[in-house]
Amino acid sequence: MSDAPSILLDVRDGVARVTLNRPDRLNSFTVAMHDELRAALERVKGDASVRVLLLTGAGRGFCAGQDLADRAVTPGGAPVDLGHSIETYYRPLVLTLRALPLPVVCAVNGVAAGAGANIALAGDIVVATKSASFIQAFCKIGLIPDSGGTWFLPRLAGTARAMGLAMLGDKLSADQAAAWGLIWKCFDDAEFAGAVEALVGELARAPTRGLAAIKRALHAAEDNTLPAQLDVERDLQRELGYSEDYREGVAAFLGKRAPNFTGR
Ligand code: T3D
């Protein structure tokens, strides 16, 4: 067994870079990796210098979901309580990513399968290399898409595509994922690292409170009526009107200069 950490965390220039680091197992999740990721996300939450979270994978994959060898499952053997695994690990992870008050960028550097595909889709901005793919592998082992898959897929791609992806478990190319609106963009492999750095750099220099409010508003819209959503917009706009970054943005525009946002 490797002594290498399953999760790498590097905080620099306002960007927290979290790397899933079990490349020989396509970064699939063990209990230990879940624990390390949870600790890393706690550190990110407690670090006021962080203005964007980047989640990516080491090696040729993004994440192959649950490590199927991390527990004993055998035909005729004792049943396992997967509900416990979801409740303890996958559910809190997805909710944490969605609730972080800063942009979460998932950089899908290779195959994203099972829970790995849906954790990627939990990001606010999802980018992928052209060679990456998304696989709802669950149906191949008698399970349903978890980690938000049954919620994200119909909303992003429509029920017909969600059904096909979930029931057939076909490999969806990054290009097709972008064409279907599952992800923001994909990039040629050679350009990917540079494009991701440019993206997270731009977000780290942006008005963080405004971006966090955009995230809250768009998430609220998933369940709201129009009048209720107009209330959300009013309340968030009121909060942002008091922010330093709003005043800086207006002054920069009127002064015909670049803004210097501080995230306050
Ligand atoms: O269980 C719970 O707690 C409930 C929650 C469930 C959430 C889930 O995610 S269930 C779904 C689990 N994931 C899968 O079923 C995906 C399994 N993996 C694959 O289907 C394929 O590996 C891929 C399509 C993702 C990639 O295929 P390929 O051909 O590019 O790579 P490979 O050769 O299959 O994998 C490379 C190595 O990683 C290989 O090991 P080896 O032969 O070199 O020693 C393979 O066994 C290992 N690996 C890949 N995925 C997993 C894995 N080992 C354990 N668990 C995996 N999920």
Side-chain angles (χ1 to χ4, degrees):
M1 190 194 278
S2 159
D3 288 335
S6 303
I7 296 293
L8 306 176
L9 171 63
D10 171 41
V11 179
R12 257 180 303 129
D13 304 327
V15 183
R17 295 170 170 80
V18 173
T19 305
L20 309 175
N21 188 41
R22 300 184 67 237
D24 55 334
R25 287 289 168 269
L26 297 180
N27 305 317
S28 55
F29 273 94
T30 57
V31 165
M33 182 159 120
H34 274 296
D35 288 342
E36 287 181 44
L37 180 54
R38 188 188 320 224
L41 293 177
E42 282 302 319
R43 281 184 55 195
V44 169
K45 267 197 255 179
D47 186 339
S49 76
V50 176
R51 293 170 66 182
V52 54
L53 170 70
L54 170 64
L55 180 64
T56 193
R60 73 176 176 91
F62 175 74
C63 174
Q66 170 66 31
D67 183 323
L68 297 174
D70 197 39
R71 65 170 74 91
V73 180
T74 50
V80 291
D81 178 4
L82 298 186
H84 172 79
S85 167
I86 302 294
E87 181 65 27
T88 311
Y89 302 112
Y90 291 99
R91 183 178 191 278
L93 169 57
V94 169
L95 293 179
T96 297
L97 296 176
R98 299 273 292 182
L100 273 179
L102 38 84
V104 173
V105 173
C106 289
V108 181
N109 52 301
V111 64
N118 297 330
I119 290 163
L121 299 183
D124 301 313
I125 297 188
V126 187
V127 292
T129 55
K130 292 244 184 209
S131 64
S133 56
F134 296 80
I135 309 176
Q136 298 293 325
F138 308 87
C139 58
K140 307 282 190 193
I141 53 170
L143 300 181
I144 62 165
D146 60 26
S147 306
T150 59
W151 197 88
F152 296 129
L153 292 172
R155 280 172 171 76
L156 294 170
T159 303
R161 286 168 175 162
M163 269 314 172
L165 291 170
M167 287 195 166
L168 299 171
D170 286 355
K171 184 187 277 199
L172 185 73
S173 69
D175 266 328
Q176 195 67 63
W180 282 5
L182 282 167
I183 67 171
W184 171 235
K185 271 183 192 176
C186 56
F187 297 95
D188 286 335
D189 290 35
E191 293 167 9
F192 187 62
V196 169
E197 281 309 307
L199 174 63
V200 295
E202 179 179 340
L203 291 168
R205 293 186 296 275
T208 312
R209 285 180 60 184
L211 300 190
I214 289 170
K215 180 168 174 172
R216 272 174 66 191
L218 289 177
H219 289 174
E222 278 146 5
D223 303 313
N224 269 344
T225 60
L226 177 59
Q229 189 63 18
L230 289 168
D231 289 350
V232 169
E233 292 177 359
R234 176 201 58 218
D235 294 345
L236 289 172
Q237 211 71 304
R238 177 173 287 136
E239 271 179 37
L240 294 171
Y242 296 130
S243 72
E244 197 53 52
D245 280 344
Y246 166 64
R247 289 191 284 272
E248 167 63 9
V250 173
F253 175 77
L254 296 177
K256 299 190 187 303
R257 62 172 174 81
N260 178 22
F261 294 120
T262 57
R264 294 196 304 272

